[in-house]
Amino acid sequence: MSLRFFNTLSRKVEPFVPRDTGKVAMYTCGPTVYARAHIGNFRTFLVSDLLHRYLKYLGYDVTWVMNLTDIDDKTIKGANAEGISLRDYTDKYIALFHEDRKIIGITDATMYPRATEHIPEMVKMVEDLVSAKHAYLVDGSAYFKIDSFPSYGQLARLNMEEMRVGERVASDEYEKEDVRDFALWKNWEEVDGPVAWDTSLGKGRPGWHLECSAMSLKYLGKGFDIHLGGVDLIFPHHQNEIAQTEGVTHEPLARYWVHSEHLLVDGQKMSKSLGNFFTVTDMLEKGWRPREIRYGLLSGHYRQRTNFQASGLDSIKQALARFEACAVNLEHADGKGGLPELRDIVARREQEFRDAMDDDLNYPEALAAVFNFVREANTLCQEHKIGSEERALAVATMKRFDSVLGFLSLDEAVADPEAAEIEALIEVRNEARKSKNWAEADRARDELTARGIILEDRAGKTIWRRK
RNA sequence: GGCGCCGUAGCCAAGUGGUAAGGCGGAGGUCUGCAAAACCUCUAUUCAGCGGUUCGAAUCCGCUCGGCGCCUCCA
């Protein structure tokens, strides 16, 4: 089987066939940079990261674009409240976004275009939409005319005729021909302060949806492969993107739409009032290590609401410790002759891994294959069948798995400030053990245990780790 | 009102027509000075409940109960 995933357009799992053989062009709706992104946002970006990593694993040449929304109501409000320029304000949050995403191992996208750097492209698109009679200008603002686009509502499976129209329509949009029409360009208002662009459309700023249409078209072209985002963006954001782009190109914006479900924290939607609203930094402060955050955020299938439990840390630590133990076991293995057996195991488990990922990115099942591989590799170590050749194969296999999983390589080998002290105590204990002075040996162990250090006596060597 | 999702062991979580993956936890065992880790065995006759379709259902259909999402700017 080959790669296939659930396409929101068809609501079916479809085989993935790229536009250009061997190449994939994908676009992810990135963060609005008015505040530090929370772990729910990152869960969505992590899904894109997982797909990006897996496509690379499969050998595709991937172009991944993630936009940065640096112009909208919230960024304007924030910048004006602080009395600094929109640029300075958003620069700050863009830096924090990159800092956080690197911590949890989200790979670099090919580019991170900013909305404010694509105003001419957006203006051009509005002009084209106006000439195509898909848009109209009123009082310095431009609106997309929904009636002009018959398939509007299709992505979200909304029947526009029966849609409730009412109290949620903002009062400042009374000039629209139809309340359902959406803004492409917004006329400057007092509250915008210094934030405005003087263009052929007048003084104002772009509507939210327009940037993604303009930038995805510019960098990925017509009918690119995969567009990703959170489920909440299906309507109206992605629907509007489709209307804007296709109104100009008359071709599908993207051929596959992949949407990730929301993250719940302790069974509930994240919200500041419930006190379950966390950023990556918050998690680090609560004692989570980067790899633990990544593992926790990816604990379920991407189309399933995933419950992130603050109390799940111990369970996650234990699971990750299995991988570490396997690495240590392989490192200290001193046997031989297991190559044929190991080759079978590698082939079988890697096939399972691929089959699972191919099947709509079934990450939990792929992870199960990796856990099974770990158990079998451990068994071979125990049976003294692992020598240098076998070790090389097993380690290379784990690295290949981790090129997709991405948590094993996170935060490894950070020098422990107390390492010298700890190792001195271990030396004391080992001296005592040599002379069979068990009381003294246990005293050293107890002291280390009290400091949160776990010892493991291996053949000829004692290794340690923090709990 | 419209569209749609979910309910699997103590916990997390796959599986969506062929007889319940994986992780954590728990019980017993091997190994070990003691441990730890690893490994082995066991830990859901059963998939919210009740009916139905089928040779066969956690998987399909209906109803009920219980959670939840979207319906104009929230990942």
Side-chain angles (χ1 to χ4, degrees):
Chain A
M1 285 301 254
S2 53
L3 182 60
R4 56 206 180 279
F5 36 67
F6 186 87
N7 189 348
T8 307
L9 275 176
S10 64
R11 308 279 158 135
K12 286 194 179 83
V13 175
E14 299 177 6
F16 174 64
V17 181
R19 178 180 58 183
D20 303 311
T21 307
K23 292 184 181 175
V24 177
M26 57 186 264
Y27 184 94
T28 299
C29 285
T32 299
V33 286
Y34 71 102
R36 196 154 198 157
H38 55 69
I39 55 175
N41 296 318
F42 278 112
R43 144 102 172 159
T44 296
F45 304 146
L46 232 19
V47 169
S48 289
D49 176 58
L50 189 66
L51 176 60
H52 181 230
R53 285 167 174 271
Y54 188 57
L55 289 169
K56 302 266 261 196
Y57 166 97
L58 291 176
Y60 284 108
D61 177 6
V62 186
T63 301
W64 178 23
V65 175
M66 184 187 278
N67 72 298
L68 298 170
T69 300
D70 61 351
I71 165 75
D72 82 317
D73 290 351
K74 296 195 204 78
T75 48
I76 292 172
K77 195 176 165 192
N80 290 344
E82 287 186 25
I84 59 177
S85 72
L86 184 70
R87 185 78 187 186
D88 286 346
Y89 181 79
T90 54
D91 274 353
K92 188 169 62 184
Y93 291 108
I94 287 173
L96 290 173
F97 164 68
H98 282 118
E99 205 176 285
D100 288 347
R101 61 156 259 262
K102 282 176 187 162
I103 287 172
I104 56 173
I106 294 178
T107 45
D108 293 346
T110 312
M111 61 179 90
Y112 296 91
R114 296 172 68 152
T116 54
E117 292 175 358
H118 297 79
I119 301 293
E121 288 87 342
M122 290 192 253
V123 170
K124 173 74 166 50
M125 189 168 254
V126 173
E127 287 170 340
D128 289 347
L129 285 169
V130 170
S131 358
K133 303 269 191 280
H134 281 306
Y136 56 91
L137 296 156
V138 182
D139 297 338
S141 289
Y143 297 96
F144 188 95
K145 191 174 174 56
I146 281 173
D147 280 345
S148 73
F149 196 78
S151 67
Y152 191 84
Q154 197 181 54
L155 178 72
R157 301 278 153 106
L158 290 176
N159 182 337
M160 298 314 289
E161 301 306 313
E162 292 172 7
M163 235 177 80
R164 270 191 181 180
V165 173
E167 59 283 351
R168 296 183 73 169
V169 176
S171 58
D172 64 345
E173 293 180 336
Y174 61 86
E175 70 272 27
K176 288 195 284 190
E177 288 178 6
D178 185 319
V179 286
R180 302 167 310 175
D181 291 348
F182 63 90
L184 296 165
W185 185 263
K186 295 182 169 183
N187 190 19
W188 180 83
E189 291 179 325
E190 195 75 40
V191 291
D192 295 340
V195 180
W197 283 265
D198 277 309
T199 72
S200 54
L201 299 170
K203 181 183 178 185
R205 58 169 173 114
W208 174 40
H209 317 294
L210 193 55
E211 56 171 290
C212 289
S213 285
M215 297 191 289
S216 65
L217 184 59
K218 175 173 182 177
Y219 296 112
L220 299 173
K222 297 179 185 177
F224 65 86
D225 296 303
I226 311 165
H227 191 128
L228 298 102
V231 283
D232 55 329
L233 295 185
I234 295 173
F235 194 89
H237 186 56
H238 290 162
Q239 182 62 67
N240 291 352
E241 275 185 52
I242 287 173
Q244 292 162 345
T245 299
E246 299 185 5
V248 167
T249 65
H250 307 294
E251 278 185 44
L253 185 164
R255 296 173 311 111
Y256 299 88
W257 287 81
V258 172
H259 291 99
S260 53
E261 254 300 345
H262 278 179
L263 181 79
L264 298 179
V265 174
D266 292 330
Q268 289 179 296
K269 191 169 175 173
M270 235 187 310
S271 77
K272 284 179 177 159
S273 59
L274 284 172
N276 62 353
F277 186 99
F278 306 121
T279 62
V280 167
T281 313
D282 291 336
M283 297 314 294
L284 292 175
E285 280 168 7
K286 289 159 84 75
W288 288 60
R289 291 193 289 179
R291 64 168 67 177
E292 293 156 359
I293 300 172
R294 184 179 173 97
Y295 189 95
L297 290 177
L298 283 173
S299 69
H301 184 85
Y302 82 93
R303 279 198 293 120
Q304 210 63 46
R305 269 187 281 264
T306 290
N307 189 16
F308 186 84
Q309 290 193 298
S311 61
L313 182 57
D314 285 343
S315 162
I316 290 170
K317 274 184 187 294
Q318 287 305 319
L320 287 170
R322 284 184 70 75
F323 292 100
E324 281 168 40
C326 183
V328 173
N329 289 338
L330 287 169
E331 190 186 327
H332 294 278
D334 59 350
K336 60 176 180 186
L339 205 50
E341 225 174 311
L342 182 62
R343 282 197 176 122
D344 284 350
I345 291 166
V346 168
R348 185 168 71 250
R349 296 309 181 187
E350 190 151 9
Q351 188 60 51
E352 288 173 2
F353 177 83
R354 290 177 69 135
D355 286 346
M357 289 301 289
D358 276 350
D359 185 13
D360 196 27
L361 301 179
N362 194 333
Y363 176 90
E365 202 166 297
L367 191 58
V370 179
F371 272 111
N372 283 326
F373 173 76
V374 164
R375 192 188 62 248
E376 288 158 347
N378 281 332
T379 300
L380 288 178
C381 286
Q382 201 143 310
E383 291 171 346
H384 302 289
K385 289 177 178 171
I386 300 289
S388 59
E389 260 187 293
E390 293 84 356
R391 172 165 39 245
L393 174 59
V395 169
T397 302
M398 280 309 296
K399 280 196 173 148
R400 216 153 47 238
F401 285 142
D402 195 51
S403 72
V404 178
L405 305 176
F407 51 71
L408 299 184
S409 52
L410 277 179
D411 62 45
E412 57 189 12
V414 180
D416 195 301
E418 296 176 33
E421 252 178 276
I422 290 162
E423 274 152 27
L425 264 166
I426 290 172
E427 190 49 36
V428 168
R429 173 168 170 273
N430 282 342
E431 285 303 316
R433 288 173 68 214
K434 265 184 207 160
S435 50
K436 297 201 192 305
N437 183 352
W438 307 129
E440 175 63 17
D442 287 345
R443 194 155 42 243
R445 174 192 280 284
D446 291 344
E447 193 176 332
L448 287 162
T449 303
R451 298 170 72 157
I453 306 299
I454 294 169
L455 298 185
E456 291 182 29
D457 293 328
R458 303 241 166 194
K461 196 184 173 192
T462 299
I463 62 171
W464 63 276
R465 64 189 157 89
R466 288 197 177 270
K467 199 177 176 207

